[in-house]
Every structure is written in C-alpha cells, then in structure tokens.
Amino acid sequence: MKHLSILLILLVSLANAQEYKVADLKVQGNKKLKSSFVKKIAFIKSGVVLDSSLIEEDIRLLKRLPSIAHAYYQVFPAEESGEYNVFYNIEENFTIIPSANVYTTNDDEFAYRLGLYEFNLFGQNITFGGFYQKDIYDSYAINFRAPFLFSRKLGLAVNFQNLTTQEPVFFDNTTADYRYNNESFEVLGLYQINFTNRLEFGVNFFTEDYEYKSGATNPNVPQALVVDKMLYKLIYEYNNLNYDYQYVEGFRSIFNFQYVHSTDDNMLPDFLIGWNDFQYFMRFGKKGNWANRLRLGFATNDDTPFAPFAVDNNLNIRGVGNLIDRGTAAIVLNTEYRHTIYEKGWFTLQSNAFIDAGSWRNPGGDLGDFTDSQNIRVYPGFGLRFIHKKIFNAIFRIDYGIGITPDSTQGLVFGIGQYF
C-alpha cells in the first residue's frame, strides 16, 4: 500500500523533478520471477528522474503480466542527498496452469480440450505449452510466446497446430458433415509501441483437408478437398485495462486483419477477413463488475459453404451449440454482470448474469441478412466462477444459456478463464 509519507515524497519529487533522481530500483517479493526481467521492462532505472507517472505505468504493466497477482511500490530516501530508492513489491502467481474446456457436439458426443501451460518460463514471462483435444477426432497444438524476448518492446511467438474436427458444411439449405483437418505453423513478431498500443505481425502456413462423412451431396461441392494456404496476419491492440485481482475496468480494442492465399482458387479462393473486438469493463461498488464485448467482422463475400465466421457456443453465443452455422460477416454482443458473492483469502466465488446476441451475413448475401430472424440469436443465461486469486487465470466457469429466438436451444458451457 502507498503510505502518506511515500505520496509526500512523490509530490516533492514532482515539484522539483530536476533535483531528485532514482538511486536504485529494487524488486521484492518475487521468487520465480527474475528481478533482472522486471528491471529490463521497467521505465524506472538508476539515474533517471523520479517520476510518479512512470512508476504508475510500470506497476500497471506488471499487474497485467501472467506471473504477477498484484504489485505496488514504495519510495524511500537513499543515503545520497537528493536521490531515492524505488521498491517494486511483487505478489507472484503460480504459473504452471492446466486448461480445460468441456462441451457436447451437435451429435451429443462428449468433447473436451485439455492443456498445460507455463506462463513464466525461466522467470522471463515466457508462455510455453500445448493442448490435446478430443472432439470426435484427436487434435493437438504447441505454443510459444515471449513478448519481451528481445526488449521491453520486441518479442516473438511461434505456434504449431494439428486440429481435426467434424465440421458441418452448409449449402442449398442442407447440411453435410466433413472430417476437417487444419495443420498449421505460424511465426509472429510482437511489438509494443507504448503502454497501451501493440502490434503482432507474421505469417501462417497451413493445409486444410476436407473429407466427406455423411449428409447431403452436390456435384458442385467436392467430397474431398486438400488445399495448401498461406495467411498473412496483422493484429493491433489498444489496451487501457486496469486489473485488481478478479476485477477489471477500462477499455480494450483488438483489430485482427488477415489475407489468405489459396492454391485452389476454384473451391477455396483467396480472401480477406478482418474483425474488431471492443471490450469495456466497469466496476460497480466493491463487488460488482460489468463486462462487455462487441465483435464486428467482415470477410470477402464469396458464395461458399466454407464461410469463415462460425456460430459456436465456445466462441460467441453460450448455449447455441457446437458450430451450428457459418457466415461471411458477423455482429456479436456479449454483456454480463459479475458479482462476488464470497471471498476469503485466495478463494473467490463469483456469479454472473449474461446476454449473448448475434447475427450473421449468409455467404454471398447482403447486409439485410443481419436483420433476418433466421440469422439472429439471443441467449440470456447465468453462471458461476470459482476463482483462485494467486494462480494465473485459475477461473473455472460454468454458464447456462437459454435461447429466446426462434428454433433456439439451450445448454451448459464449461471452461477455464472468463468467457471474455
């Protein structure tokens, strides 16, 4: 906590910034996290002018890191006249974290994804791990992400995925089931412009393999298709969120733009796709948190059964089912109120009430599809969150969504981490 004496020192230092310098930055409370890493990414260093705004920015950055549950600072006079020691006090998270998602497919098959990730490899906030998925077929992935690998601003991510699922393909008002395999290798550069703005850019080489299993057929829709593709990706994020354990406040925007080049222009032509997630969080009193996500997405409007935007309860509409429709554009709003109903020590029990709503443009359709009642989904619901405050992302969630639009379903969605 920031004591009155610390605040007075900082006020004096701001009034006389040219006279007061930092003698040393000291890191306390960390065990696994390397002090050298904290000093590498911190603005405050030995010899710089004592500036409370830079200290606050460092603390906000530290509180965003997966390895840190909470951080605060202290300032004390050094032995040298006119200089001060700055102490960053760290409360670490446990960072070797399992992940789990459990759901049912449209055929009522039991499906799950199990993973294990280390979010603080070598004490450098490097994420490394992978997952195994059973969704009728076997799938797996390996992920490496080091946002501060080279400096406070420059990092690297490398991902490999071999994903196999049973995918519905929609055409002529009918449906066919395909065995779909996507094997991909991705390399991304990570660049932190400043505290609130960052970029990701890179390339993904992948192969899509569609194999017909059952359902409707059409001479114009192949029963087997293997296509090599190259994807160029750009992500821009504005992040002004502030975290206090399970509570979040502020605004965040993530823009994702991709150009996909295909070796088969007839069945899977080149296309552009882009979407933006707008997130807004507000605190209500001491225990309430209002969370919102709006997604706007558009892709090249080809009349194809392999449209890129999916309607899926694991992605956007809780309770709707597993990949029940596709489109070439999407508008989705998720809003929920989270309320802490019990908190003691490391454990928190949080309830939530939500409304998920969305609409899609049919492949080859027009913007009027967004108002077509057959494309609109509205699912209110409720859920619980079981939270461990000292383990990163240790939030076990249960949500139950109930559709209120025509031909709706209802169902449970389980997972690790907040839905958004």
Side-chain angles (χ1 to χ4, degrees), residues 1-15 20 28 50-53 55-56 59 72-77 84-89:
M1 297 183 64
K2 304 179 182 66
H3 301 294
L4 180 60
S5 60
I6 301 170
L7 294 176
L8 290 174
I9 291 171
L10 289 177
L11 289 173
V12 172
S13 70
L14 285 173
Y20 295 98
Q28 299 183 142
L50 186 63
D51 186 336
S52 64
S53 64
I55 295 176
E56 290 285 356
I59 293 299
Y72 61 97
Y73 66 89
Q74 296 170 299
V75 180
F76 297 105
Y84 291 85
N85 287 321
V86 179
F87 290 79
Y88 285 175
N89 298 283

Side-chain angles (χ1 to χ4, degrees), residues 26-33 35 72 88-93:
K26 302 180 184 296
V27 184
Q28 299 183 142
N30 56 311
K31 297 178 181 178
K32 185 176 180 179
L33 181 69
S35 296
Y72 61 97
Y88 285 175
N89 298 283
I90 306 295
E91 296 179 19
E92 287 192 353
N93 274 322

Side-chain angles (χ1 to χ4, degrees), residues 326-346:
R326 291 181 180 274
T328 56
I331 300 175
V332 180
L333 175 65
N334 308 101
T335 183
E336 67 180 30
Y337 175 73
R338 306 166 184 171
H339 191 85
T340 299
I341 56 179
Y342 178 80
E343 183 171 11
K344 186 172 184 180
W346 58 265

Side-chain angles (χ1 to χ4, degrees), residues 20-61:
Y20 295 98
K21 297 288 185 70
V22 175
D24 193 17
L25 171 62
K26 302 180 184 296
V27 184
Q28 299 183 142
N30 56 311
K31 297 178 181 178
K32 185 176 180 179
L33 181 69
K34 301 296 185 184
S35 296
S36 58
F37 169 80
V38 176
K39 293 182 178 183
K40 180 176 79 170
I41 68 171
F43 281 130
I44 291 298
K45 303 181 186 297
S46 176
V48 305
V49 173
L50 186 63
D51 186 336
S52 64
S53 64
L54 293 181
I55 295 176
E56 290 285 356
E57 190 164 324
D58 280 348
I59 293 299
R60 288 186 65 189
L61 174 62

Side-chain angles (χ1 to χ4, degrees), residues 10 17 80 97 107 138 149 169 190 234 242 247 286 312 327 332 337 363 370 378-379 419:
L10 289 177
E80 297 84 355
I97 310 300
D107 296 330
D138 299 321
L149 182 63
V169 174
L190 314 176
L234 172 67
N242 194 22
Y247 302 109
K286 293 183 178 180
D312 189 307
V332 180
Y337 175 73
F370 284 124
V378 180
Y379 277 69
Y419 194 66

Side-chain angles (χ1 to χ4, degrees), residues 31-34 37 62 64-70 90-99 115-130 388-394:
K31 297 178 181 178
K32 185 176 180 179
L33 181 69
K34 301 296 185 184
F37 169 80
L62 292 174
R64 286 183 184 177
L65 299 180
S67 61
I68 296 178
H70 191 61
I90 306 295
E91 296 179 19
E92 287 192 353
N93 274 322
F94 183 75
T95 55
I96 301 178
I97 310 300
S99 63
L116 184 66
Y117 286 87
E118 163 61 270
F119 289 91
N120 191 23
L121 188 65
F122 308 130
Q124 301 289 325
N125 268 274
I126 294 173
T127 299
F128 179 73
H388 194 303
K389 294 167 60 177
K390 296 300 180 69
I391 300 178
F392 172 66
N393 206 35

Side-chain angles (χ1 to χ4, degrees), residues 279-337:
Q279 300 179 352
Y280 178 70
F281 300 84
M282 178 185 290
R283 292 286 300 269
F284 278 91
K286 293 183 178 180
K287 297 184 177 182
N289 211 168
W290 183 35
N292 303 272
R293 178 180 66 177
L294 173 65
R295 169 169 290 190
L296 303 176
F298 288 86
T300 302
N301 193 24
D302 293 320
D303 187 4
T304 170
F306 308 103
F309 289 106
V311 186
D312 189 307
N313 60 196
N314 292 301
L315 300 174
N316 39 45
I317 307 288
R318 283 166 281 192
V320 74
N322 181 35
L323 217 167
I324 66 161
D325 205 353
R326 291 181 180 274
T328 56
I331 300 175
V332 180
L333 175 65
N334 308 101
T335 183
E336 67 180 30
Y337 175 73

Side-chain angles (χ1 to χ4, degrees), residues 240-408:
N240 197 29
L241 299 180
N242 194 22
Y243 295 85
D244 184 14
Y245 294 107
Q246 71 268 25
Y247 302 109
V248 189
E249 59 182 344
F251 175 76
R252 182 185 188 190
S253 172
I254 306 173
F255 173 69
N256 192 316
F257 178 78
Q258 301 174 6
Y259 167 65
V260 181
H261 173 66
S262 172
T263 58
D264 187 337
D265 287 336
N266 293 321
M267 291 310 306
L268 295 175
D270 295 359
F271 69 93
L272 301 172
I273 181 173
W275 66 91
N276 204 114
D277 285 347
F278 301 95
Q279 300 179 352
Y280 178 70
F281 300 84
M282 178 185 290
R283 292 286 300 269
F284 278 91
K286 293 183 178 180
K287 297 184 177 182
N289 211 168
W290 183 35
N292 303 272
R293 178 180 66 177
L294 173 65
R295 169 169 290 190
L296 303 176
F298 288 86
T300 302
N301 193 24
D302 293 320
D303 187 4
T304 170
F306 308 103
F309 289 106
V311 186
D312 189 307
N313 60 196
N314 292 301
L315 300 174
N316 39 45
I317 307 288
R318 283 166 281 192
V320 74
N322 181 35
L323 217 167
I324 66 161
D325 205 353
R326 291 181 180 274
T328 56
I331 300 175
V332 180
L333 175 65
N334 308 101
T335 183
E336 67 180 30
Y337 175 73
R338 306 166 184 171
H339 191 85
T340 299
I341 56 179
Y342 178 80
E343 183 171 11
K344 186 172 184 180
W346 58 265
F347 176 74
T348 296
L349 178 63
Q350 192 178 67
S351 64
N352 78 305
F354 65 85
I355 298 176
D356 293 344
S359 185
W360 282 258
R361 180 179 66 184
N362 298 325
D366 56 39
L367 297 181
D369 291 345
F370 284 124
T371 59
D372 189 332
S373 61
Q374 292 184 340
N375 294 334
I376 297 174
R377 309 294 198 286
V378 180
Y379 277 69
F382 54 89
L384 290 173
R385 305 290 185 266
F386 302 87
I387 302 172
H388 194 303
K389 294 167 60 177
K390 296 300 180 69
I391 300 178
F392 172 66
N393 206 35
I395 303 172
F396 177 71
R397 59 177 162 83
I398 305 173
D399 288 319
Y400 189 77
I402 306 168
I404 60 174
T405 44
D407 302 319
S408 293

